[in-house]
Amino acid sequence: MSSDPWGRVDETGTVYVRTADGEQVVGSWQAGSPEEALAYFERKYEGIVVEIGLLERRVKTTDLSAKDATTAIEHLRQQVDEHHAVGDLDALRKRLDALVATVESRREERKVQKAKQTDEAKHAKEALVVEAEELAQSEQWRSAGERLRALVDTWKGLPRLDRKSDDELWHRFSHARSAFSKRRKAHFASLDAQREEARKAKEKLVVEAEALSGSTDWGATAARYRDLMTEWKAAGRAQREAEDDLWNRFRGAQDVFFAARGEVFAERDAEQGENLKLKEELAVEAEKLVPVKDLKAARAAFRAINERWEAIGHVPRDARPKIEGRMQAVERALQEAEESEWRRTNPEARARAEGLTGQLQAAVDKLRTQIDTARAAGNNARADKLARELEGRQALLDQALKGLEEFGG
């Protein structure tokens, strides 16, 4: 018979292992010596030890699921319980029991962690839903659309919740996206309609602009082009390609008209510049008639100058007031000379002036006599009153005398 601390082989070749519950039969060995039998079953024990060590390491260092770990433990426990090995089987059972506790602890940790992750995912998805619902009311079509697409990517990266919660949140999220897409589609459909209306309106403006491009009615046509530009701005924008094409046609028509007008105006300005030089020479000639010495000769000379003036034609607009003002000044001087001559040679006017002067002189003389009388009588108040009246009559008399002088005294 052969034995070691954990097992023995009896005379019949039966192999036993010692446990806390007593000896347990391991198996029967007939092929060799008892030592070989013990060595064989000890190797089987070492194999179980190695497997348990590997499982402990996997549980500790990998993300082996609790289910798979439990299956592996039960498999090893079955090997231990079947007593087909010689060694400290009770120690192995304790290691397996400890491993079960570790797996359960890991299972609880993962359960807590999963619950935490689920709660975080729920809050994250709720936040995505709230933001999506806010974006659904936005009119920042580009930025809001890009943000909603980014929210979808974020949603896909989050863990799933329980079916009911996940479906409810996804329904709200999807509804918000659909509402935004519907509003954006309606907006751009309306915008397309507006742009089509703008295109039609601008097409009409272009047709009119092109029809006007050959006009030589410079003032009225330029004014109409200004009105067309105002209408163009008020029409809104057409589609990009149509807008660019219509604008090029519109501007091209205007350019044709204004280029032609510019050429005509340049020729006219050159001609009017020459006219201005001629009129300046006539203005100098007319100004030599002042002061008027011989009214009849001056009037005849001015008429002759004026006829030559009218025959010359237009001068530049900005120079017109000054040059015409010089001729008008000469004409006023001639008119004043005529009026002065008329007053001097008009007998009726002279008689009226002399009569008025005589009446005013008599009134002044009378007032002076009355003032002297009042002061002699000591009535200074009446004298002062008459003196004030005298000042007014004297002023009228002085003015009348001045007018009489114009008649040659």
Side-chain angles (χ1 to χ4, degrees), residues 344-361:
R344 191 177 65 80
T345 58
N346 188 331
E348 293 182 1
R350 181 184 181 90
R352 283 196 300 272
E354 289 176 344
L356 177 60
T357 302
Q359 291 174 7
L360 288 171
Q361 185 65 60

Side-chain angles (χ1 to χ4, degrees), residues 292 295 299 328 330-340:
V292 179
L295 179 59
R299 174 58 73 184
Q328 289 167 359
V330 173
E331 189 171 15
R332 283 196 302 273
L334 291 174
Q335 289 173 348
E336 289 173 0
E338 284 185 343
E339 291 173 1
S340 176

Side-chain angles (χ1 to χ4, degrees), residues 79-99:
Q79 293 183 52
V80 172
D81 290 345
E82 287 176 352
H83 310 111
H84 292 317
V86 173
D88 190 353
L89 296 179
D90 292 323
L92 296 185
R93 290 190 183 96
K94 290 179 181 177
R95 286 179 67 178
L96 290 174
D97 290 342
L99 195 53

Side-chain angles (χ1 to χ4, degrees), residues 243-279:
E243 178 76 17
D244 293 343
D245 179 62
L246 289 169
W247 174 249
N248 290 334
R249 289 172 58 193
F250 186 71
R251 287 296 300 175
Q254 290 188 86
D255 290 344
V256 169
F257 169 77
F258 284 107
R261 189 184 73 156
E263 291 179 4
V264 171
F265 279 19
E267 294 176 3
R268 188 188 66 182
D269 289 345
E271 179 184 341
Q272 289 185 354
E274 291 299 319
N275 291 345
L276 177 60
K277 292 179 181 178
L278 295 174
K279 286 194 173 184

Side-chain angles (χ1 to χ4, degrees), residues 116-132:
K116 181 181 178 183
Q117 291 175 347
T118 299
D119 188 59
E120 290 175 349
K122 184 177 182 181
H123 283 95
K125 288 188 173 182
E126 287 173 344
L128 294 180
V129 168
V130 170
E131 184 177 354

Side-chain angles (χ1 to χ4, degrees), residues 131-176:
E131 184 177 354
E133 289 173 339
E134 291 175 352
L135 289 170
Q137 304 304 316
S138 173
E139 293 184 358
Q140 302 298 318
W141 308 114
R142 181 188 296 275
S143 60
E146 290 175 352
R147 181 56 183 160
L148 281 170
R149 285 191 290 274
L151 293 185
V152 172
D153 293 337
T154 303
W155 181 286
K156 290 178 179 178
L158 293 172
R160 283 187 60 81
L161 311 176
D162 62 275
R163 180 182 296 275
K164 182 174 182 294
S165 299
D166 213 67
D167 288 349
E168 287 177 355
L169 288 172
W170 175 253
H171 176 74
R172 286 174 60 190
F173 186 68
S174 179
H175 179 73

